[in-house]
Amino acid sequence: EPEVTQTPSHQVTQMGQEVILRCVPISNHLYFYWYRQILGQKVEFLVSFYNNEISEKSEIFDDQFSVERPDGSNFTLKIRSTKLEDSAMYFCASRGPRNEQFFGPGTRLTVL
Amino acid sequence: GEDVEQSLFLSVREGDSSVINCTYTDSSSTYLYWYKQEPGAGLQLLTYIFSNMDMKQDQRLTVLLNKKDKHLSLRIADTQTGDSAIYFCAEMRDYKLSFGAGTTVTVRA
């Protein structure tokens, strides 16, 4: 069964550093998402992406964040200058033709 | 309210049925989802339902939808120890998901 994959599973970084989180969505899906889950809090929408551009972004998704689909398979989330409060689980998701949304296993980002 | 709401905890005996409840917000047609999250793992899509349906059954899982009350429930029949996890209800709004806080289900022997 096709699945969304994410790398790395855990990323530790120093405050102010740039990180890139990677995702490979399900191959025939067209809509991609990033969500995050701060420890003990709800899963929150960050950004949606379709046809090589951002469809919608939340208030959280400020200028420090960017997304890219550099090739036909990868979908990346870049945080330019990480802050302590960026520590969270980051989930990639892709949406299928029947509106089912499949999530990857997540990347745990720890900012020190 | 504007949030998807869930009860936070449920304890159930192995072999019994679990019922996890959720209230959602959107009165228009929408999709509603149940996800399972085991410790340290991602969000596994269990099932989903369109709001014009009243019920959906998939093996041990039954989803019931009361559109009038905006109430969604997930019933797990014959609950097993492997069902211990956090269960998230989510509502699709403008093609993005809005999640509840999750219900932690603990299965006791």
Side-chain angles (χ1 to χ4, degrees):
Chain A
E1 186 175 317
E3 58 183 16
V4 178
T5 59
Q6 289 185 243
T7 53
S9 56
H10 191 188
Q11 173 92 47
V12 181
T13 190
Q14 295 289 328
M15 192 169 56
Q17 295 296 305
E18 175 183 287
V19 294
I20 299 175
L21 310 183
R22 292 183 166 79
C23 169
V24 179
I26 295 172
S27 62
N28 64 339
H29 289 183
L30 301 177
Y31 295 85
F32 315 122
Y33 302 82
W34 284 99
Y35 292 80
R36 79 171 184 192
Q37 184 183 30
I38 294 172
L39 188 64
Q41 297 186 23
K42 288 186 178 183
V43 178
E44 306 171 286
F45 166 79
L46 290 178
V47 65
S48 58
F49 191 87
Y50 170 72
N51 200 25
N52 278 323
E53 59 182 34
I54 291 174
S55 307
E56 188 173 351
K57 57 185 181 180
S58 71
E59 291 175 353
I60 305 165
F61 195 89
D62 62 21
D63 292 343
Q64 296 296 323
F65 291 88
S66 62
V67 289
E68 195 178 29
R69 189 158 162 84
D71 53 43
S73 59
N74 289 283
F75 178 50
T76 63
L77 174 69
K78 182 191 292 186
I79 309 174
R80 188 162 57 235
S81 177
T82 49
K83 304 187 284 286
L84 295 176
E85 54 265 38
D86 294 327
S87 295
M89 279 289 282
Y90 287 81
F91 293 107
C92 174
S94 67
R95 176 159 63 96
R98 291 188 297 272
N99 287 305
E100 62 275 50
Q101 290 208 17
F102 295 101
F103 282 71
T107 293
R108 180 172 298 282
L109 177 65
T110 303
V111 182
L112 302 176
Chain B
E2 294 187 0
D3 284 345
V4 176
E5 302 282 353
Q6 296 179 243
S7 50
L8 292 181
F9 299 100
L10 177 68
S11 178
V12 62
R13 190 162 25 192
E14 190 175 8
D16 288 351
S17 292
S18 308
V19 179
I20 308 166
N21 295 301
C22 170
T23 54
Y24 63 100
T25 65
D26 197 338
S27 59
S28 61
S29 297
T30 188
Y31 285 89
L32 299 148
Y33 302 78
W34 284 104
Y35 287 88
K36 176 183 180 183
Q37 186 180 37
E38 296 183 66
L43 298 167
Q44 177 193 353
L45 177 63
L46 290 177
T47 186
Y48 67 112
I49 190 169
F50 189 58
S51 56
N52 68 352
M53 298 170 66
D54 296 324
M55 187 184 91
K56 181 178 180 181
Q57 187 156 2
D58 183 1
Q59 299 182 331
R60 292 192 298 123
L61 304 179
T62 303
V63 178
L64 294 177
L65 179 60
N66 180 331
K67 195 173 178 181
K68 174 176 162 290
D69 294 337
K70 298 179 194 169
H71 182 264
L72 182 75
S73 67
L74 175 70
R75 178 177 179 270
I76 306 172
D78 186 25
T79 311
Q80 303 297 307
T81 54
D83 295 323
S84 291
I86 302 175
Y87 291 80
F88 291 94
C89 167
E91 171 184 28
M92 179 183 278
R93 300 180 200 164
D94 299 324
Y95 296 105
K96 60 185 185 289
L97 298 188
S98 181
F99 283 82
T103 300
T104 300
V105 173
T106 303
V107 181
R108 61 187 193 277

